[in-house]
Amino acid sequence: MASEHVIETSRLTKVYGRGDKGFTALRDLDLQVRRGEIFGYLGPNGAGKTTTIRMLLDLIRPTRGQASILGLDAHHDSLAIRRRVGFLPGELNLWRNERAIDIVKYQGKVFGSLDMAYVNQLAERFQFDLTKKMRDYSTGNKRKLGLILALMQRQEVVILDEPTSGLDPLMQQNFNNLMREIRDEGRTVFLSSHVLSEVQAICDRVAVLRHGELKAVEQVEKLTHVDFRWVTLKFRDVAGIQHHLETVPGVSDVSTINGDSVRLKLNGEFDPLLRAAVDHYVVDLRVQEPTLEEIFLTFYDDEPAVVNNNRAKEYAS
């Protein structure tokens, strides 16, 4: 019986350099990705997302720990894994003077099969011209070719590093629809991204990575059901109310907007807030759930405005 998990890591760690000059790009990653899901791997540039992917595909070796894909060891069975995994790297370097169609045919020979009907279908969906040379494509069109190469073999697992970078909104929507189709076929998508709207739109579960450490793994809908929400109260007379509400337990980030309303962040129950507003005429009350971006930022709320870490930029993304 096939395992439920198609990607597994145990204490996966990557350290660059030694001693005081060493930089830990990924630390003790324990992760499990299920068969037939779109899994979002979320974090800003430098969090360790690309480092993880490179170790999964044996492009770099871990300092310690293990990783497996489809039950195969990421190092010892790397060639077998690459035949069963579609991959889009964060940076796609292909032959500048070759036509896209020739690159497609070359990959087909490497894998031993080529379904040109499906390639043409993908090219049509991405509105991509296969006849041009690589040097003539824009950044967005190079990304489209990378997606075609990653998807054209219909592998069991697809690993995509920042897949929609450079795509316009229409192409992003086409990409989202295609990912859902892949999931519906029972295949698995592992999607690294820092685009929160992309993750929220299509992923079943998401992992949040910070400074190379895993901070959360949760279903997207559960991750958005957190304790805080945004509350906007419109008053007949707003004078003095902002200072009063700032003293209410669970209330923070209070600001006056439009001259007659107060917006605030509420953690916990509504009752203390309602009691504090009881002596003021409330014209309207609106409650807004936090976006995934706001939830994500709670994992980084102690970050300085500018992080000056050249080694992080060099090694981990």
Side-chain angles (χ1 to χ4, degrees):
M1 181 178 178
S3 172
E4 176 191 7
H5 301 117
V6 296
I7 297 176
E8 294 185 87
T9 69
S10 175
R11 298 193 65 210
L12 194 65
T13 299
K14 182 62 179 179
V15 179
Y16 293 97
R18 294 181 179 179
D20 294 339
K21 295 183 179 180
F23 168 69
T24 302
L26 192 71
R27 184 190 304 275
D28 293 330
L29 178 69
D30 292 327
L31 193 66
Q32 294 178 324
V33 179
R34 299 167 185 159
R35 187 178 303 275
E37 72 173 340
I38 303 176
F39 189 91
Y41 199 45
L42 185 62
N45 292 332
K49 305 187 303 297
T50 297
T51 295
T52 303
I53 290 173
R54 288 172 177 169
M55 286 191 287
L56 287 174
L57 296 173
D58 200 38
L59 300 175
I60 59 175
R61 300 284 167 77
T63 304
R64 66 172 180 269
Q66 294 83 37
S68 66
I69 299 180
L70 296 165
L72 301 172
D73 182 85
H75 171 44
H76 295 102
D77 303 314
S78 59
L79 292 179
I81 286 173
R82 291 300 297 272
R83 286 191 169 275
R84 299 173 66 181
V85 174
F87 173 49
L88 172 67
E91 295 183 6
L92 189 66
N93 296 313
L94 296 170
W95 304 281
R96 283 177 45 82
N97 295 319
E98 294 293 333
R99 295 185 306 159
I101 185 63
D102 295 325
I103 295 173
V104 166
K105 290 180 178 178
Y106 174 78
Q107 178 166 304
K109 289 181 180 178
V110 170
F111 279 88
S113 65
L114 178 61
D115 184 349
M116 273 308 301
Y118 186 57
V119 170
N120 290 329
Q121 180 184 333
L122 290 172
E124 182 177 353
R125 293 185 70 163
F126 287 120
Q127 298 179 13
F128 179 75
D129 183 356
L130 287 162
T131 64
K132 293 183 179 181
K133 292 184 177 181
M134 280 297 300
R135 63 170 182 255
D136 297 325
Y137 289 123
S138 65
T139 299
N141 275 320
K142 289 177 182 177
R143 211 73 190 141
K144 293 177 184 178
L145 176 57
L147 285 167
I148 291 171
L149 294 171
L151 301 175
M152 68 184 222
Q153 300 294 332
R154 292 189 176 97
Q155 283 103 327
E156 299 166 68
V157 178
V158 180
I159 297 178
L160 307 174
D161 194 356
E162 303 286 353
T164 62
S165 176
L167 298 186
D168 62 46
L170 177 59
M171 290 301 105
Q172 289 180 16
Q173 186 59 49
N174 288 342
F175 169 82
N176 290 351
N177 292 336
L178 188 54
M179 294 303 102
R180 295 186 186 104
E181 292 171 16
I182 290 173
R183 176 189 59 195
D184 293 343
E185 293 170 359
R187 296 189 281 151
T188 303
V189 178
F190 183 89
L191 186 153
S192 162
S193 180
H194 68 272
V195 181
L196 295 142
S197 58
E198 173 180 77
V199 170
Q200 190 167 14
I202 63 172
C203 290
D204 302 300
R205 291 194 303 148
V206 59
V208 178
L209 198 65
R210 170 180 175 173
H211 294 330
E213 294 187 0
L214 187 65
K215 294 298 179 181
V217 179
E218 192 54 89
Q219 293 181 358
V220 170
E221 62 269 22
K222 289 185 179 179
L223 192 65
T224 56
H225 292 167
V226 294
D227 289 338
F228 77 90
R229 72 278 285 172
W230 293 103
V231 180
T232 303
L233 301 102
K234 184 177 181 180
F235 296 95
R236 180 174 291 176
D237 181 7
V238 76
I241 190 65
Q242 176 175 342
H243 177 72
H244 181 55
L245 294 179
E246 287 175 341
T247 65
V248 177
V251 169
S252 61
D253 299 337
V254 183
S255 61
T256 301
I257 57 175
N258 301 326
D260 61 359
S261 301
V262 174
R263 185 174 187 264
L264 56 87
K265 182 179 179 180
L266 177 64
N267 288 77
E269 298 178 350
F270 268 90
D271 188 67
L273 174 63
L274 298 177
R275 289 179 183 274
V278 70
D279 293 331
H280 301 266
Y281 193 99
V282 179
V283 177
D284 190 22
L285 185 151
R286 296 183 181 182
V287 180
Q288 181 183 3
E289 295 293 329
T291 64
L292 185 60
E293 181 171 5
E294 290 167 332
I295 296 167
F296 174 71
L297 289 174
T298 64
F299 293 98
Y300 289 81
D301 57 9
D302 62 343
E303 290 291 289
V306 177
V307 178
N308 183 16
N309 191 334
N310 292 327
R311 286 181 296 171
K313 294 177 182 178
E314 179 181 356
Y315 293 130
S317 60

